[in-house]
Amino acid sequence: MLEMLVQPTSAQLREASRLSKKGTIEISPIEMPLTLFTWGSKRVMPVRLTELSINESAFDVHLNPIRASLSIGFKVLTVSDLPLGHPGAELYYAHLAQKERLAGAARTAGLGSLGLRPGDITVGRG
């Protein structure tokens, strides 16, 4: 499923090829499904996968992988990457507004909101 986020389906590629041969489509990238990275209920952002590496390290008796490690890279999509009115653009605006609220709360919060007391921090010279 993860691999399908970084490449179009065979049906999409065949249809694009068929239409381009007929001259009824201009060659342009096929739009991939909107992918959301969710890091808690208040941090949901549209992303594009830029890297996907799968290392299969253990297999069953039929050589089906049973253990794998993944490396995933992605780019957060902004309003510069998405057309006006795209659902991903609205999600980015919501993500940005939440980030602004968190930054504002951090500016006004004291050490106590981090679970620290003034005597817990010492500044030394090295």
Side-chain angles (χ1 to χ4, degrees):
M1 186 171 153
L2 287 172
E3 290 174 315
M4 296 313 300
L5 295 175
V6 294
Q7 61 192 30
T9 66
S10 59
Q12 288 173 313
L13 291 172
R14 288 180 199 275
E15 180 65 9
S17 176
R18 184 184 71 76
L19 291 172
S20 69
K21 286 180 184 174
K22 288 176 61 176
T24 58
I25 189 175
E26 107 180 31
I27 302 299
S28 62
I30 296 172
E31 185 174 342
M32 301 307 295
L34 179 61
T35 304
L36 302 177
F37 179 72
T38 304
W39 195 359
S41 63
K42 297 181 180 177
R43 296 179 79 187
V44 179
M45 58 201 91
V47 297
R48 176 177 299 124
L49 266 64
T50 58
E51 176 190 340
L52 176 62
S53 174
I54 302 171
N55 181 22
E56 298 168 347
S57 58
F59 304 87
D60 66 13
V61 295
H62 302 290
L63 296 180
N64 296 310
I66 58 173
R67 183 178 304 133
S69 59
L70 300 173
S71 172
I72 300 174
F74 58 85
K75 174 190 184 307
V76 175
L77 300 176
T78 68
V79 292
S80 300
D81 302 309
L82 300 163
L84 187 63
H86 190 281
E90 293 305 315
L91 285 165
Y92 178 75
Y93 280 127
H95 164 68
L96 184 58
Q98 179 62 24
K99 199 170 12 174
E100 290 166 351
R101 281 190 293 277
L102 290 171
R107 272 192 293 268
T108 61
L111 294 175
S113 67
L114 301 173
L116 300 171
R117 296 175 307 220
D120 291 341
I121 298 176
T122 59
V123 178
R125 296 186 180 196

